[in-house]
Each structure stands twice: as C-alpha cells, then as structure tokens.
Amino acid sequence: GSGLRLADHRTTPAKLPWTSLLREWLQSSNSSGWDSPYNRVIASSTGLVAAGRRARSAGDIVLVIDTSGSVGQDTLNKFLAEAQLVMDELKPERLHLLSVSHFVCEVVTLETGDAVPLSLRGGGGTLFQPAFDWLEQEGITPDCMVYLTDGLAGDRTEITAKDYPLLWVSTLLEPHYYPVGEVIMVDDF
C-alpha cells in the first residue's frame, strides 16, 4: 500500500495515492463547483436560487511548498508534477506557486498554457504565516490553497481559519497537529 491517508475530523483513512487525493480535493474544494448551475452561498444566505460561477475553470489556486529543506526532493518533484496537472486539468485563471521557508523565497504566477518550473529556490527555517501574509498583501483570496510541508513550523499553532479551503499535504506531522484546514498524509517516502 501507499501508506497514505486523507484525514480531517470527518473522514476515515483512505488508501489512494496522495496525488489522486490531492486532485480530488482540488476539484471539490469549491463546494458549489466551478461549473455550477446553483450558487450555494447565495442560496443559504438569502434563500434565492441563483446561478453559480458557470465557469469551466477555477480562479486563483495557490500551491505553497515548504522549501526549508525538510521536505524531500522526490516529494517536491511529485508536487511540482501535480501542479502541472492542476494547470492542465483545472485550468485556473492563475496558479500561484510559492516557495516558503521562514520567508517567501520565490513566487511564480502561471496562467493557462504556462509550464510549471522544475524547481524553486528555498532554504532556511520554517514559518507558515509568510505565505498567508503574501496573499493578503497581494489582495488575493484564492479558490483554495494547498501547502506541502513536514509541519515543523515555529508558528504552526498560531495559524487561524481562512476564508478559503486550505489543505496541508503533510510529510511528517499527523493531522491533529494542524489547527485549521484538512490534511493529506504523505508517509510513503
């Protein structure tokens, strides 16, 4: 088996490749869908039945990679390959790839048709907050954020709930260590 689990407070362990779970999570992370005839948010807040986004693509998707050196190169390579599949299959308006250690080391913003880079700069300690700060400074509220990390960050317990779906792809720490978001465990490396 791949030794992988998608875990949060509402799910049971799964035995699918983490790359498949990641893609499934990305496709379902906007609960009203990217091509929905029904806008759940408007319906629940006003009682009106209104059209959803009716777009075949996502808006902004953010993929953050902990490049402090604690996540293995094989995992980074697989994550970047997944990022290319996200570009090809979900066709987001923009895919923001962030390399973050204790600061934002590199930002690559891709649009439809762009190729994902084969590597990103990094190094240093690990803090999660710089990635969230960058989004706020840029005025970006993404459709979803995926953060690849081992979880060993000095500010992990200080991260608060976000206005968008957040998924941790964790190579080390178990789901209960993450105060917000959902967690896919990658423990097959």
Side-chain angles (χ1 to χ4, degrees):
S2 69
L4 154 80
R5 286 168 292 135
L6 169 64
D8 71 3
H9 304 295
R10 299 171 302 280
T11 60
T12 55
K15 292 292 180 191
L16 289 170
W18 69 269
T19 52
S20 297
L21 289 171
L22 172 59
R23 231 169 305 145
E24 187 177 304
W25 185 87
L26 281 165
Q27 288 169 343
S28 66
S29 67
N30 181 335
S31 57
S32 57
W34 284 308
D35 187 28
S36 173
Y38 173 72
N39 188 317
R40 183 185 56 78
V41 174
I42 290 177
S44 64
S45 61
T46 67
L48 297 173
V49 175
R53 294 175 57 180
R54 308 274 322 156
R56 288 230 169 255
S57 64
D60 288 285
I61 293 178
V62 177
L63 301 181
V64 184
I65 300 178
D66 171 355
T67 49
S68 63
S70 53
V71 174
Q73 192 60 47
D74 283 349
T75 303
L76 286 174
N77 292 345
K78 287 181 182 178
F79 195 77
L80 289 170
E82 277 303 301
Q84 188 63 59
L85 287 172
V86 167
M87 286 298 294
D88 297 343
E89 293 177 9
L90 299 183
K91 298 177 178 30
E93 289 176 30
R94 281 166 306 282
L95 175 69
H96 305 280
L97 271 176
L98 276 64
S99 163
V100 179
S101 58
H102 60 286
F103 64 99
V104 176
C105 304
E106 185 174 5
V107 176
V108 178
T109 297
L110 304 168
E111 296 181 358
T112 306
D114 290 345
V116 171
L118 299 177
S119 64
L120 294 170
R121 289 190 309 271
T126 306
L127 291 175
F128 292 146
Q129 194 59 46
F132 300 105
D133 290 346
W134 181 86
L135 282 176
E136 194 172 308
Q137 289 160 5
E138 296 294 316
I140 297 170
T141 301
D143 284 353
C144 59
M145 176 192 262
V146 178
Y147 207 125
L148 173 67
T149 182
D150 61 3
L152 299 177
D155 61 354
R156 176 179 34 81
T157 58
E158 298 156 31
I159 301 302
T160 57
K162 305 301 169 200
D163 294 336
Y164 44 85
L166 170 62
L167 177 71
W168 304 96
V169 177
S170 180
T171 62
L172 180 66
L173 289 191
E174 297 284 333
H176 66 271
Y177 286 103
Y178 295 87
V180 297
E182 296 179 71
V183 178
I184 291 177
M185 289 301 301
V186 180
D187 55 9
D188 55 342
F189 296 107

